Amino acid sequence: MPKKQDEQLSFDDLMDPKEEPKKNRKRKTKQALEEIQEKILDVEFSDVMRKSYIDYSMSVITARALPDVRDGLKPVQRRLIYDMQELGTTSDKPYRKVARVVGDTMGKYHPHGDSSLEGALVVMAQDWKQYQPLVDGHGNFGSIEGDEAAASRYIECRMTPYTEDVLLSDIKENTVDFIPNYDEELDEPAVLPCRLPNLLINGTEGIAVGMATSMPTHNTGEVIDAAIWYLDHEKQATIEDLMQILPGPDFPTGGIISNQSDLNAIYTTGTGKIKVRGKVVIEQDKGGKEKLVITEIPYPMIGDGIGKFLQSVADLVENKTLSDIVDISNQSSKEGIRIVLELKKGADTEQIENILYKKTRLEDTFGCNFLAISHGRPETMSILDIYREFAAFQYEIHTRKFENLLKKADRKREIDEGLLKAIDVVDTIVEILRGSDTVAQAKTCLMTGNTTGIRFKTKTAEKQAKELRFTEIQAQSILELRLSRLVGLELAAIQEDYDKIVKNINRYKKLLGSHAEMRHEIVRGLESLKAKYQKPRKTVITDAKEIVIKEKPEEILPVVVLIDRFHYIRAIDETLYEKNKEQLDPEHKYVIPSATDQRLIAFTDTGKAHTVKVKDIPYGRLRDKGTPIDNISGYDSKQENIIAILPLEVEKELVFVSSDGYVKRVSMAEFDVTRRTIDSTKLSPGSKVVYIAPYQDRSLMLTSANQYAIRFQQSEIPVQGKTARGAIGMKLEEGDSIAEVSDSGLIRFSKRGGKGKKR
């Protein structure tokens, strides 16, 4: 078929010429390209990337990673809870498979991976992570020690009473807005009508794009008390006032917050670090030995942190830092944490406890970042901001609730008024119904008194019918009325119901018309929830003393350091050396008597000085090989050669000789430094250190490669610093260098700095 005039050409047309003339094909190609050209947008690539990234970031921030300040829930949590209500998985119903809830939520509201849904649901059931669990789990939901939950097909769940009372109790009263789900086939709540500051009670953690939230858990009773106080003192409320009632976090795992003085700043800025310690108690066994028992752990330690803590303790025992611990056992169970450290008799328990706090995760840090979605945007909030948002949300949902209840009550009142009026003229209504040809005819008569076409038995009934003026709702309810409701008891029930409705209407109007009355209503609800869900505080808040570890004086042992020609180094007991001296001396290049509190200095030809602590040298048996000196010092055997290894004796001086004939004396005190490697001397380009030895009041002879020699007294060598090059010891001809240095010789003495004599 020929193409219509306005039909666009496709590339398929262009690729199939169909015997067309060449001119026509060119014309169509040009036309197609012009049409494509009109649709091309000229944009800056960086602008497109920036906008796309910002859109992606905001999507993750608002729709996945961060909680809403109003209900304290992330979208995935909110959708799971709402779906459980839709499925009827309430606290008084049987458990349902987690796989059923996850699959239903994923299909209806959350089109992401099932692992994220399952993980979120499992966390909501873990009472060591949630202060008030939102899900009642049945089966293996993991453990505080980091064990994973069983597969979703094996475990079951239902809502907790807290979830029903706090998050969902008023959701059917039009208290919150509903929005379309991802495919716009269903509606889901934009937020749950939460009646408590759940963000504070259960805390939260989440990582978005470029930002993260971390909110600790708080005591339910304290959070509610602070909310009540805020509602009563909204205008003059301060953070200091709130923190008199809500002093800080209360973790499900207990523990001790040790930096109370920092909390005010954290709760003011919304950011900061809370230090949390585990709780340690001392027990005694029958033999009088003491043991440390850890009964509570820091909240950040939950999960694999417990295993890492046990490994840290084992490492400290192995390296002798905690040598008084003889056994470690994890006796934790469903009843709680119990990690037992058995001690030697007479062990210093305070010192051990301090080491545990200082060198393990028994004291850990909880980083706070009070970031939440407020009015559709992420905001870092103070505790006062959170309560301000809470109060505004409570007034909103309560206003919407009572407006909805008032609307329902007005409708019910109207119906009951009609029924009560209908009772007085029931005979007339019966005649209207019997005399009407259609329901619509009867309904019109009840509403307007129009009797046209209706057959009445008596004129009196017709006269009364013309006076009827029921509303449409009343007329419909009369038409649907069962005759059984006209008996005496039913009539009394209608009247009682009507009186109750009128009373409720007056109450609703009073609440909606008075801010003070509405506040009292909210407070009454908070007090009721507090009575049901408050718990004793678990976490102690204090300003703990700074941990001080008393350093045990190290035992000083006399040793002999042995270094062979391959520079393998080791230390052995002094007595053992004396017994095997004749065998050991020939096998080693250096034999240095020392002690474990001393240091050795390894000097190299590149002018470096490497400090080696004797206590770091492997201490072993007679036939042990030792370790390369590279492993315990900054020495690099590929870049430099050791000239001398000497004990650090600050009262002595060393004599340096470089290959270009420079000499100097240096106090050994200059090498008493904390750094492991320093420069021992300054060298000319191309020169090296060829001799280092302790200063002696005797001669020194230098011999060059060209067989020139000079001999002078060491006392002529000037004392200089380690950064100096030195003074001329022997003037060398071009291309010559010092080849040998000795402290004696047969040639005559001369002054330092001469050319020397040919040998």
Side-chain angles (χ1 to χ4, degrees):
M1 288 180 63
K3 293 186 180 290
K4 295 180 182 178
Q5 199 168 15
D6 60 346
E7 189 174 348
Q8 292 183 343
L9 294 171
S10 69
F11 275 107
D12 291 337
D13 298 327
L14 300 175
M15 296 299 290
D16 184 13
K18 300 180 182 177
E19 306 296 331
E20 286 185 293
K22 191 173 182 181
K23 284 185 178 181
N24 288 347
R25 292 203 305 272
K26 286 184 177 180
R27 179 181 57 80
K28 288 184 177 182
T29 302
K30 183 179 179 182
Q31 182 183 346
L33 291 173
E34 286 175 352
E35 290 174 353
I36 293 171
Q37 188 68 33
E38 289 176 0
K39 297 179 181 180
I40 294 175
L41 298 176
D42 188 8
V43 295
E44 180 63 38
F45 180 74
S46 60
D47 293 340
V48 174
M49 290 299 295
R50 186 182 298 107
K51 183 180 183 303
S52 299
Y53 186 73
I54 290 172
D55 291 345
Y56 165 72
S57 301
M58 288 305 296
S59 173
V60 172
I61 290 165
T62 59
R64 295 188 70 175
L66 300 186
D68 193 297
V69 68
R70 295 170 292 179
D71 61 7
L73 300 176
K74 301 176 192 176
V76 64
Q77 297 170 317
R78 188 179 303 117
R79 288 164 177 167
L80 282 164
I81 290 171
Y82 181 66
D83 187 76
M84 290 175 76
Q85 191 206 39
E86 292 289 287
L87 291 172
T89 316
T90 53
S91 60
D92 57 343
K93 299 288 175 57
Y95 294 95
R96 281 181 183 264
K97 290 288 186 183
V98 168
R100 171 76 164 89
V101 175
V102 166
D104 199 65
T105 306
M106 183 168 57
K108 290 180 178 178
Y109 308 114
H110 198 75
H112 302 287
D114 58 346
S115 60
S116 63
L117 283 155
E118 185 180 342
L121 191 147
V122 165
V123 168
M124 288 193 288
Q126 294 176 334
D127 59 6
W128 58 90
K129 287 187 178 179
Q130 300 270 286
Y131 200 87
Q132 293 284 359
L134 305 179
V135 172
D136 178 8
H138 183 244
N140 177 14
F141 273 73
S143 75
I144 193 172
E145 297 180 51
D147 300 316
E148 292 187 0
S152 60
R153 61 185 179 275
Y154 298 123
I155 54 179
E156 299 175 321
C157 66
R158 63 185 179 188
M159 286 188 286
T160 61
Y162 175 89
T163 303
E164 297 170 20
D165 292 342
V166 175
L167 295 171
L168 295 169
S169 65
D170 295 325
I171 196 168
K172 294 183 179 179
E173 301 297 343
N174 192 34
T175 49
V176 293
D177 293 333
F178 277 70
I179 56 176
N181 70 335
Y182 67 93
D183 60 6
E184 298 189 355
E185 288 189 1
L186 299 168
D187 288 333
E188 61 176 307
V191 65
L192 296 183
C194 186
R195 298 169 62 195
L196 294 178
N198 186 59
L199 181 65
L200 289 173
I201 292 171
N202 273 329
T204 188
E205 288 187 1
I207 300 174
V209 179
M211 58 183 67
T213 183
S214 181
M215 173 76 72
T217 59
H218 293 80
N219 182 273
T220 308
E222 293 174 357
V223 169
I224 295 174
D225 285 341
I228 293 171
W229 184 91
Y230 180 84
L231 289 166
D232 290 337
H233 305 82
E234 194 168 347
K235 292 183 180 179
Q236 65 268 30
T238 66
I239 291 173
E240 290 73 16
D241 293 330
L242 285 171
M243 293 194 68
Q244 292 294 318
I245 306 166
L246 181 65
D250 188 17
F251 295 107
T253 54
I256 303 165
I257 291 174
S258 60
N259 61 329
Q260 183 179 18
S261 57
D262 295 335
L263 294 182
N264 188 275
I266 293 171
Y267 280 72
T268 300
T269 63
T271 59
K273 293 181 179 179
I274 297 173
K275 293 180 181 178
V276 193
R277 294 180 181 178
K279 186 177 179 182
V280 181
V281 297
I282 300 173
E283 296 180 2
Q284 279 191 336
D285 59 19
K286 294 179 181 178
K289 289 183 179 179
E290 291 182 325
K291 53 187 175 184
L292 293 180
V293 181
I294 299 163
T295 58
E296 296 175 4
I297 60 172
Y299 185 72
M301 194 198 283
I302 59 176
D304 59 1
I306 295 177
K308 291 178 180 177
F309 166 73
L310 294 172
Q311 184 60 51
S312 297
V313 176
D315 292 342
L316 290 171
V317 172
E318 189 174 339
N319 66 23
K320 309 298 183 184
T321 304
L322 287 174
S323 55
D324 286 339
I325 294 179
V326 296
D327 190 35
I328 313 165
S329 60
N330 185 4
Q331 301 174 12
S332 303
S333 64
K334 290 182 179 179
E335 281 68 44
I337 292 292
R338 183 177 172 81
I339 299 172
V340 181
L341 309 177
E342 295 187 16
L343 310 178
K344 292 179 182 178
K345 199 165 186 177
D348 186 344
T349 55
E350 182 182 356
Q351 172 77 347
I352 294 171
E353 189 174 337
N354 285 342
I355 292 173
L356 291 173
Y357 283 140
K358 198 77 173 178
K359 296 182 180 288
T360 73
R361 291 187 65 184
L362 194 59
E363 180 176 80
D364 213 336
T365 299
F366 184 95
C368 295
N369 193 13
F370 297 176
L371 183 70
I373 301 298
S374 174
H375 304 287
R377 299 179 60 183
E379 286 188 22
T380 300
M381 314 180 81
S382 70
I383 190 75
L384 189 61
D385 295 331
I386 293 172
Y387 273 107
R388 187 180 294 116
E389 294 279 354
F390 167 75
F393 187 54
Q394 293 308 300
Y395 282 117
E396 178 188 344
I397 62 175
H398 279 75
T399 299
R400 292 180 62 162
K401 171 186 175 181
F402 289 115
E403 284 176 347
N404 190 57
L405 290 174
L406 178 60
K407 184 178 177 181
K408 290 180 180 178
D410 271 334
R411 179 184 174 87
K412 189 70 171 64
R413 175 193 55 76
E414 184 180 344
I415 292 171
D416 283 357
E417 281 180 351
L419 293 177
L420 291 172
K421 283 194 294 183
I423 291 168
D424 294 334
V425 290
V426 65
D427 293 334
T428 302
I429 292 173
V430 170
E431 286 206 35
I432 293 171
L433 295 175
R434 292 181 64 183
S436 299
D437 293 327
T438 63
V439 173
Q441 189 180 31
K443 185 175 181 181
T444 300
C445 181
L446 291 173
M447 292 170 60
T448 65
N450 183 359
T451 60
T452 304
I454 300 176
R455 299 175 296 279
F456 291 92
K457 288 186 176 180
T458 64
K459 293 291 183 180
T460 304
E462 184 176 1
K463 183 181 179 181
Q464 286 182 341
K466 290 180 178 180
E467 295 174 356
L468 297 178
R469 294 295 184 273
F470 290 104
T471 65
E472 184 178 358
I473 294 173
Q474 291 172 338
Q476 186 63 38
S477 64
I478 290 168
L479 292 172
E480 296 171 356
L481 181 68
R482 291 183 180 180
L483 291 177
S484 61
R485 297 204 66 186
L486 298 178
V487 300
L489 288 176
E490 282 294 325
L491 295 176
I494 293 173
Q495 182 65 53
E496 184 181 345
D497 188 41
Y498 175 76
D499 294 340
K500 183 179 178 181
I501 288 169
V502 171
K503 186 178 178 181
N504 284 341
I505 288 173
N506 293 333
R507 176 171 171 261
Y508 299 154
K509 287 181 176 179
K510 186 178 180 182
L511 287 168
L512 292 169
S514 169
H515 186 81
E517 287 294 330
M518 187 65 82
R519 182 177 69 250
H520 292 152
E521 176 67 21
I522 296 170
V523 168
R524 280 194 293 270
L526 292 174
E527 289 172 342
S528 173
L529 291 172
K530 178 188 174 184
K532 191 171 182 180
Y533 295 110
Q534 67 177 334
K535 300 178 182 179
R537 171 170 271 278
K538 295 181 179 180
T539 302
V540 176
I541 301 177
T542 184
D543 269 322
K545 294 180 181 177
E546 186 67 27
I547 296 172
V548 177
I549 299 176
K550 296 176 288 185
E551 296 293 340
K552 289 175 67 176
E554 292 185 11
E555 186 180 2
I556 300 173
L557 300 174
V559 296
V560 175
V561 178
L562 304 172
I563 306 165
D564 64 18
R565 61 191 180 92
F566 300 108
H567 295 134
Y568 274 74
I569 187 170
R570 61 191 174 109
I572 63 171
D573 181 77
E574 187 180 52
T575 306
L576 183 61
Y577 168 75
E578 291 296 336
K579 290 180 179 178
N580 298 274
K581 182 177 180 179
E582 293 181 1
Q583 174 190 345
L584 293 170
D585 284 357
E587 295 176 356
H588 294 89
K589 186 176 180 180
Y590 298 95
V591 177
I592 306 171
S594 187
T596 52
D597 64 335
Q598 294 181 8
R599 287 173 286 172
L600 307 180
I601 309 293
F603 296 96
T604 70
D605 59 352
T606 62
K608 299 291 184 184
H610 303 288
T611 300
V612 179
K613 294 180 179 179
V614 174
K615 67 178 182 180
D616 293 338
I617 299 172
Y619 182 85
R621 295 168 297 185
L622 182 66
R623 304 314 306 172
D624 287 347
K625 185 178 180 181
T627 188
I629 196 170
D630 310 47
N631 294 352
I632 57 173
S633 71
Y635 171 64
D636 184 354
S637 58
K638 295 179 181 179
Q639 303 292 332
E640 51 190 342
N641 297 306
I642 293 176
I643 300 298
I645 300 177
L646 303 167
L648 177 62
E649 299 174 282
V650 295
E651 70 280 358
K652 291 188 175 182
E653 292 178 352
L654 298 178
V655 173
F656 280 71
V657 180
S658 59
S659 61
D660 56 357
Y662 281 83
V663 296
K664 67 174 180 178
R665 284 157 54 191
V666 181
S667 170
M668 238 187 158
E670 295 225 18
F671 305 107
D672 185 10
V673 295
T674 55
R675 283 184 295 166
R676 198 163 67 159
T677 299
I678 61 172
D679 290 328
S680 64
T681 188
K682 183 179 180 180
L683 292 171
S684 302
S687 66
K688 291 191 174 185
V689 178
V690 294
Y691 176 85
I692 298 176
Y695 167 75
Q696 297 179 3
D697 189 12
R698 56 189 303 176
S699 65
L700 188 72
M701 189 172 82
L702 311 181
T703 304
S704 75
N706 291 341
Q707 294 299 305
Y708 283 88
I710 188 172
R711 183 181 175 208
F712 51 87
Q713 290 291 344
Q714 292 187 23
S715 57
E716 294 184 38
I717 301 173
V719 177
Q720 295 180 327
K722 64 178 185 293
T723 58
R725 184 169 62 172
I728 296 176
M730 180 179 182
K731 289 180 180 179
L732 299 172
E733 294 179 348
E734 188 175 349
D736 201 2
S737 62
I738 302 297
E740 184 181 346
V741 181
S742 63
D743 56 6
S744 62
L746 301 177
I747 64 172
R748 292 183 179 183
F749 281 102
S750 61
K751 291 290 184 181
R752 174 187 60 80
K755 291 184 178 180
K757 295 180 181 180
K758 188 77 172 179
R759 296 187 66 180

